[in-house]
Amino acid sequence: MAQGRRNGTPAYQRIQGAILKRIEAGQLKPGDAVSSERELARIHGVSLMTARHALATLESEGLVERRRGAGTFVAPPKIHFNKLMSFTEQMASRGLPACSKILSSSILDDEPDIAARLALPSASRLIRIERTRQAADEPFALETAYLSAEQFPGLTRAGLERGSLFSALQQDYGVVLAHADEEIDATAADPKSAELLNVARGAPLLRIRQLIFSITGKPTIYMLGLYRSDRHTLLIRRFR
Amino acid sequence: MAQGRRNGTPAYQRIQGAILKRIEAGQLKPGDAVSSERELARIHGVSLMTARHALATLESEGLVERRRGAGTFVAPPKIHFNKLMSFTEQMASRGLPACSKILSSSILDDEPDIAARLALPSASRLIRIERTRQAADEPFALETAYLSAEQFPGLTRAGLERGSLFSALQQDYGVVLAHADEEIDATAADPKSAELLNVARGAPLLRIRQLIFSITGKPTIYMLGLYRSDRHTLLIRRFR
DNA sequence: AAGTGGTCTAGACCACGGC
DNA sequence: CCGTGGTCTAGACCACTTC
């Protein structure tokens, strides 16, 4: 029979799909045993190597754990460390009410450094959006985002008040964000930031400069964030 | 013949080792083609599936890229984002000379908060090691590590001057570290830290508190680090 | 002892890339 | 066209865990 593709999808992907469906439906919970290689091979009418391949790649994606002699088990809930989330998503995931206020939204045409980071010609027109972020009526962050004015015409007036910048890019411009490289350090609050964040001048702030890439690999947003360190800590997980 | 293990190592790992050796020796540079599946199978006297497995897992580890119809190529220089590395490893990977100085090394028995983070009974005896880290003759970090005194007897005097804490744990106690959860914020330098780091009192510092886990999942080291923000930035990459 | 994952064989056909 | 990686078969033995 050769490829057991009934519909163009490789057999091992169909098997993975069947398992993922049961996990998403809640029939399989973390720690539960998944069908064994031999069982999957029998059920789906494939060879052992194919069933094995399905489980092996699910393991490398962190969805299941395999223990020799014991079986294959649904992996513990994935922890959302190091996830690229919009502010709105972050707050929602913590169950906190969030709001943000746009301080300014303008078009610049002489920011060669930032244009370069976005891989644009030096004199490109850029949208700059300055926002404060607050939770529980207290501002805790100041974020300035830069995007290509050419790529996102009309963004300045778009529905940034009602939703997140991330979802606006996706819904209005079809741009899906994939990952961000961030540079993190500490800095002292300058007078303007101090006032906006309601802290003393010179107070330590966490500074995060991030370059956010779309799934096509194109640098899309450059964002500078200043965070009150008494209201915000960054959690990351790193691996060997 | 069944398993082609000549020395207990699986054949696919021997093949990977041979490839990695050539990469490390500089014979293969990023972008260079690696031997094809069929070639590897012939050279090492294994079946195609085995050679394939060797390349497939190297790919999932990000060491090579495979392009259908074209071949397998050494992956571009690995970016060490979000990697758990010892200070010594970090500096070495940047080609910088590094050194550290142990300020104190002592045993404490009344640090219930820290003991709790390490999942130890409140009154556990803890080793505390305070070090400054420096590069180019200037201190840029102050790190305080806490470990179980019971788990690591004699560590205080062990060869921390000659090598890294990470490698000492691995070589002398067989403990291999796997990942770390970190909490990052900004703080102002207190008088003592300011003096040790040679900055003004109140200067902003990047503070990283990390709990480092071994491969067995046991919390093993609690480390508090203070970093001069003018000499050190943290780079991370996050994904959707 | 029975069942599981880990490794391996010696082939096969397909889809794709570059010449 | 030829070589590449992608998928797949129908078995095999080994090492390990669980009972």
Side-chain angles (χ1 to χ4, degrees), chain B residues 2-5 10-12 46-47 49-50 68-69:
Chain B
Q3 339 288 84
R5 297 170 155 98
Y12 79 96
V46 298
S47 85
M49 278 299 274
T50 301
R68 180 192 303 215

Side-chain angles (χ1 to χ4, degrees), chain A residues 133-197:
Chain A
R133 308 298 217 164
Q134 49 192 74
D137 274 355
E138 267 225 326
F140 75 93
L142 191 56
E143 286 184 346
T144 310
Y146 297 87
L147 304 89
S148 162
E150 192 179 340
Q151 191 182 0
F152 303 108
L155 179 66
T156 48
R157 263 169 289 285
L160 290 182
E161 253 103 12
R162 64 165 157 70
S164 82
L165 176 57
F166 281 32
S167 60
L169 292 193
Q170 180 158 358
Q171 287 167 25
D172 301 344
Y173 301 92
V175 172
V176 180
L177 302 173
H179 74 270
D181 284 345
E182 311 191 349
E183 209 175 328
I184 297 153
D185 63 2
T187 189
D190 61 47
K192 179 187 158 202
S193 307
E195 190 182 341
L196 288 166
L197 290 173

